[in-house]
Amino acid sequence: MFSKFLTVVVIIFLSLISYGQKEGMALIKGGQYIPLYGTDSNIVKVQDFYIDQYPVTNAEYVKFLEDNPKWRKSNVIALYADGNYLRHFKDDLNLKDGELENAPMTNVSYFAAKKYCECQGKRLPTLDEWEYVGMADEKDADARTKDEYNKFILSWYEKPNSYNQEVGSTFENYWGVYDMHGLVWEWTQDFNSVLISGESRSDVDGGNDLFCGGAALGSSDLMNYAAFMRYAFRGSVKANYSIRNLGFRCAKSIN
C-alpha cells in the first residue's frame, strides 16, 4: 500500500516539474491583453503555454533536414517554398561560408517552419501568444508604454543584417525568453489572420494590403509604431515566402 502511495506521489511530483519547465522552453502564464487591432471590447485571453527560449537555429534545422529529405533545398516543391528557400545554404545540408550554425534559421517558409515544429512535437505560436510574450522587456510583462522598449525595437528595424548573430544576443525578457526583438521577424501560426483595417478580426478582408498609416486610425495604442510594423510585415507575406530576416520558434500547449 505504501509503495503505491509513494508511486503516486512521485508521478505527481514529476508532473509538476514537467508543467513548470520543458527543456529549452519557457512557461508563459496566461492572461489577457488588448492587441494592436482592438479596443477595450476586444480583450484577448491567452492560456498558459510553453514557448522556445530561443529562435530555431541553422544547426537545429540541419538536423531536421537530415531526417526529412523532402524539405531539403533540392527536393522541396514550390507550393511549400519559393526560390529563396535555404538561400544561405550552399547545398542541401551545408551553410555557406560566413553563416553561423547558432544563428537563427531564416529563408524558411511558413510551411517548412510549421512542419519543423510538428516534428518536435510542438507547433508555431499563435499571433496572440507571440505578441503576449513580445510585450515584455527584462522587468515587466507589458513594457509597451516604455520609450526605451519601443526605441530598442525601432532601432533594430534599421539594422538590415541583424539575422547573422548567435541566438541569445539580445536581452532575456520577463518570461525568460530571448530574441523576441533584435534578431529576426518570426512566423506565427496564424500570421495572416489580422489585417488592421477595422476593430477586430471579424471585419477584416484578408485580400487587402495593410498600410501602417491607415492601420493607426483604429489602433488601441497609437504610439506603438513598432507593433504596426510587425502587423504590416505579416500582412505582406505569403505562406511559401522565404525571407532572409524571417525566422521562427516553436510553442507547445499545456494539456
Side-chain angles (χ1 to χ4, degrees):
M1 177 67 88
F2 178 75
S3 62
K4 290 183 179 179
F5 173 76
L6 183 60
T7 300
V8 172
V9 170
V10 170
I11 291 174
I12 293 174
F13 177 72
L14 292 176
S15 297
L16 289 173
I17 292 176
S18 175
Y19 182 83
Q21 62 180 33
K22 287 188 178 296
E23 184 178 358
M25 304 191 84
L27 172 63
I28 309 300
K29 298 296 292 183
Q32 59 185 32
Y33 82 111
I34 300 175
L36 183 67
Y37 59 82
T39 65
D40 288 344
S41 62
N42 296 121
I43 293 175
V44 170
K45 293 183 179 179
V46 176
Q47 302 298 320
D48 295 358
F49 69 102
Y50 295 105
I51 194 168
D52 286 350
Q53 290 181 284
Y54 304 96
V56 173
T57 66
N58 288 322
E60 290 170 332
Y61 199 79
V62 167
K63 292 180 181 177
F64 164 74
L65 294 172
E66 291 172 347
D67 296 334
N68 298 272
K70 72 176 184 179
W71 288 99
R72 295 177 186 176
K73 189 174 184 178
S74 62
N75 295 333
V76 70
I77 62 177
L79 178 66
Y80 295 138
D82 66 10
N84 289 318
Y85 180 65
L86 303 188
R87 195 169 184 176
H88 61 299
F89 280 57
K90 61 184 176 183
D91 54 40
D92 279 346
L93 297 175
N94 295 285
L95 296 165
K96 291 180 178 178
D97 293 341
E99 300 290 340
L100 303 177
E101 289 187 353
N102 204 37
M105 177 64 197
T106 62
N107 286 328
V108 59
S109 69
Y110 166 82
F111 294 115
K114 181 175 180 288
K115 183 63 177 179
Y116 173 95
C117 292
E118 290 173 353
C119 288
Q120 315 308 311
K122 304 177 184 179
R123 58 172 173 78
L124 287 170
T126 67
L127 186 151
D128 286 324
E129 287 172 341
W130 197 100
E131 288 293 324
Y132 184 77
V133 178
M135 295 189 305
D137 65 2
E138 298 95 328
K139 296 181 179 180
D140 297 306
D142 187 353
R144 290 178 296 175
T145 60
K146 292 184 178 181
D147 288 343
E148 317 87 74
Y149 166 85
N150 289 308
K151 286 178 181 178
F152 170 79
I153 298 173
L154 291 172
S155 68
W156 161 49
Y157 291 166
E158 297 175 356
K159 299 175 183 177
N161 300 318
S162 59
Y163 46 79
N164 199 27
Q165 301 179 60
E166 293 195 350
V167 297
S169 297
T170 69
F171 64 87
E172 176 184 10
N173 76 8
Y174 173 88
W175 300 107
V177 178
Y178 294 80
D179 308 325
M180 293 297 288
H181 310 285
L183 288 189
V184 292
W185 306 84
E186 296 185 8
W187 286 110
T188 63
Q189 187 179 99
D190 50 345
F191 71 95
N192 57 359
S193 66
V194 177
L195 299 182
I196 322 167
S197 60
E199 292 187 349
S200 71
R201 301 182 184 191
S202 61
D203 62 359
V204 169
D205 179 359
N208 291 334
D209 290 330
L210 172 63
F211 296 94
C212 292
L217 297 177
S219 170
S220 61
D221 183 0
L222 299 178
M223 297 184 68
N224 198 342
Y225 182 70
F228 283 121
M229 294 289 286
R230 288 196 300 278
Y231 279 78
F233 180 79
R234 290 169 181 143
S236 69
V237 299
K238 296 181 179 179
N240 71 330
Y241 282 12
S242 304
I243 302 173
R244 189 58 173 115
N245 60 348
L246 177 58
F248 70 102
R249 72 180 73 215
C250 305
K252 190 176 181 68
S253 302
I254 295 177
N255 297 325

